[in-house]
Amino acid sequence: MASPLSTSTADVLAAEEETTANLLLPHTYDIVWSLIIVVIVGLVFYKFVLPKFQAVLDERTAKIEGGIAKAEKAQEEAAEALKEYHQQLAEARADAAKTREEARAEGTAIVAELRTKAHEEASRIVETAHRQIEAERQTAAVSLRAEVGELATELASKIVGESLQDSARQSRVVDRFLDELEAAGDESRTATASASSAAGKEG
């Protein structure tokens, strides 16, 4: 037969276990109200908060996509500008080469023209000098002929013993005297040439 002390101890332990179980497990009405509050909060979040989050996300997505599109467009424009720059640079180089070739050809033409003009000018100067020399030679020959004629006339007058003031006679005397001088000069040149030839043969 169990003692009253052991029975009371068992009751106390059973009461403590029931109290502990009640503390860990909430009451049914608490669970129900908690579920109702969670559902209400979920509905409010789904109805009001989630659309705002979705709108913000959509806006940011649109901005990101717009930024990507702008970046791609800017990249395409930059590539097009770079292509155009390279094309303009190639055209500028071609124009510079063409201008350089034209300048070289023009310079060559100018040099050739200046050379031609210089040659023509030199030829003209030489021809003018030859004409001037010929004119001076003729003038000197006329002057010398007149002086020689006067001297020859005076000398012939003294030799002949008569006056040679007649112009025709004077001209004949002068011509004969000059012919004799030229003949003497020819003989002298011939003798000099013969002597030179003979000396060359002996050498």
Side-chain angles (χ1 to χ4, degrees):
M1 184 174 178
S3 63
L5 182 58
S6 61
T7 301
S8 61
T9 302
D11 292 337
V12 170
L13 290 174
E16 288 179 358
E17 289 179 359
E18 186 178 355
T19 304
T20 304
N22 290 334
L23 289 176
L24 293 176
L25 185 64
H27 296 288
T28 303
Y29 64 89
D30 290 333
I31 294 172
V32 172
W33 282 110
S34 297
L35 288 174
I36 291 172
I37 292 172
V38 168
V39 170
I40 292 172
V41 170
L43 290 174
V44 171
F45 182 80
Y46 181 77
K47 187 69 175 175
F48 299 103
V49 178
L50 187 61
K52 291 184 178 180
F53 282 157
Q54 189 66 36
V56 171
L57 290 176
D58 292 341
E59 184 180 356
R60 290 191 177 182
T61 303
K63 287 183 179 180
I64 292 171
E65 290 177 353
I68 293 173
K70 287 182 180 179
E72 290 177 352
K73 185 177 180 181
Q75 188 174 2
E76 291 177 358
E77 290 177 355
E80 187 69 22
L82 182 61
K83 182 179 178 181
E84 185 177 357
Y85 167 75
H86 284 302
Q87 184 177 358
Q88 290 178 356
L89 182 62
E91 291 177 357
R93 287 178 178 174
D95 291 341
K98 184 178 179 181
T99 303
R100 191 164 51 248
E101 290 297 327
E102 290 177 354
R104 186 180 290 114
E106 186 176 355
T108 304
I110 290 173
V111 170
E113 184 179 357
L114 290 177
R115 285 179 179 174
T116 303
K117 287 183 178 180
H119 182 69
E120 292 176 355
E121 185 69 16
S123 300
R124 188 184 63 79
I125 291 173
V126 169
E127 185 178 357
T128 302
H130 285 168
R131 290 179 180 175
Q132 186 175 0
I133 291 171
E134 181 66 20
E136 290 178 357
R137 188 184 67 79
Q138 290 179 359
T139 302
V142 171
S143 176
L144 180 62
R145 187 180 183 89
E147 291 178 2
V148 169
E150 291 178 0
L151 291 175
T153 302
E154 291 179 3
L155 182 61
S157 297
K158 290 178 181 179
I159 292 173
V160 174
E162 60 177 311
S163 176
L164 296 174
Q165 296 299 324
D166 184 20
S167 60
R169 185 182 298 176
Q170 182 179 352
S171 177
R172 286 195 301 272
V173 171
V174 170
D175 290 339
R176 186 170 62 248
F177 180 73
L178 291 176
D179 291 339
E180 290 176 359
L181 286 178
E182 289 180 359
D186 292 338
E187 290 177 0
S188 177
R189 284 194 293 272
T190 303
T192 304
S194 299
S196 299
S197 176
K201 289 181 179 179
E202 290 178 359

